[in-house]
Amino acid sequence: MGNLLLMRIVKYSIVALLAAAPLLGAPGAATAAPTPGAAPGAAAAGGAGVAGGAAAAPGAAAAPAEVPPGLVARYNFDGGATDGRVADLSGRGGPLTVRGADTGAVTFTALGAGRFATFPAKCATGATTCPRALLEAADDADLDPGARNFRWAASVRVSAAQLNGNANVMQKGVAGTGSQWKMQISGKAGRAQCTMVARGTGQKFTATSARPVADGAWHRVVCERSGTALVVSVDGTPVGRAAVPATLTVDNTMPLRIGGPNFQAGADMFHGQIDDVYVQLV
């Protein structure tokens, strides 16, 4: 616990130094993200971490009193769930509903003054039923960026042993049902991936991190679409990009889901921990 407290102290010292950084960074620059515990309206660069470039463990403080421009949904799980719902902190998004199947449940694990969401373990070999769970917010026009620039982000912790195929962190839209934006951890290499699927054409674009993030440590993953670039950043550093058409549009009637796409057999469920999720129009 002493080491965790020290990590948080270092983290928020960095936040104070970077508080003047603009919220929107150009693709290829470190991506900024709202950070719990920062001064109202301030932002820290992409969740930049401490030792080894890894993000410090979450678990402090409430959301800023002032909401950064363009923020349309934010969840930090510090308040846990009330009657099975997690409150939005942006003032524009809807609550997350905790959903489960086969006795699966999302738990909210305490760490210091905060909490993070823990998802069910992956299915045991040979098991006939597998506990599954996800968090879901209703469809909202603000979550459909169309062709606008936007950003989606989460802090994640997962190990290679917890991967069972791809692990979907957050998404709006699912494969084969029209347009989509998504963050996932790839099952083969444990790399962070940001994916967009274009409305109308179904064309898929993916930016993949150069190195794995499935190492059991906390990492801040930020996806950003800006013009014709789709960029994935890990712990404040851009680590992968893909070119996208300027006309690429994402607009669907699906809910926002965190921790998995649905409860169908073989769905790409996430089996680690997630914290500090947000969606922002930029």
Side-chain angles (χ1 to χ4, degrees):
M1 183 62 69
N3 288 337
L4 289 176
L5 291 173
L6 178 59
M7 292 173 73
R8 287 198 296 272
I9 291 169
V10 174
K11 174 182 177 180
Y12 296 117
S13 296
I14 294 173
V15 168
L17 292 173
L18 298 175
L23 190 61
L24 173 60
T31 311
T35 302
V50 286
E66 297 178 10
V67 177
L71 203 66
V72 295
R74 183 179 175 210
Y75 311 93
N76 71 5
F77 310 121
D78 287 350
T82 301
D83 296 327
R85 295 160 78 95
V86 177
D88 164 71
L89 301 177
S90 73
R92 293 179 62 176
L96 292 170
T97 298
V98 182
R99 297 184 55 205
D102 296 318
T103 72
V106 178
T107 59
F108 298 94
T109 307
L111 178 63
R115 301 184 195 179
F116 53 83
T118 298
F119 293 80
K122 75 176 185 179
C123 196
T125 303
T128 56
T129 60
C130 300
R132 290 156 291 162
L134 55 80
L135 301 169
E136 180 179 285
D139 175 42
D140 189 308
D142 279 344
L143 298 174
D144 292 317
R148 293 172 292 180
N149 296 335
F150 81 117
R151 182 184 298 135
W152 62 106
S155 294
V156 301
R157 181 170 68 179
V158 67
S159 68
Q162 291 174 296
L163 295 177
N164 186 26
N166 293 332
N168 290 12
V169 177
M170 59 186 297
Q171 64 195 92
K172 190 172 190 297
V174 296
T177 60
S179 60
Q180 178 192 53
W181 57 259
K182 177 174 68 172
M183 178 194 298
Q184 70 177 18
I185 310 300
S186 67
K188 291 183 178 180
R191 300 175 190 270
Q193 293 186 319
C194 304
T195 295
M196 297 184 72
V197 177
R199 186 183 67 184
T201 67
Q203 194 172 4
K204 180 179 179 180
F205 304 89
T206 299
T208 303
S209 66
R211 295 183 179 180
V213 296
D215 56 8
W218 282 104
H219 294 286
R220 185 67 170 164
V221 181
V222 180
C223 300
E224 183 171 351
R225 185 266 177 93
S226 184
T228 58
L230 174 61
V231 178
V232 55
S233 297
V234 175
D235 301 327
T237 301
V239 289
R241 66 172 54 226
V244 301
T247 55
L248 188 154
T249 299
V250 176
D251 188 352
N252 61 59
T253 59
M254 298 293 292
L256 167 67
R257 288 178 177 151
I258 298 169
N262 49 48
F263 293 141
Q264 295 179 2
D268 294 334
M269 307 303 292
F270 185 86
H271 302 295
Q273 291 81 40
I274 297 176
D275 201 3
D276 293 325
V277 175
Y278 77 85
V279 182
Q280 183 183 20
L281 296 171
V282 295

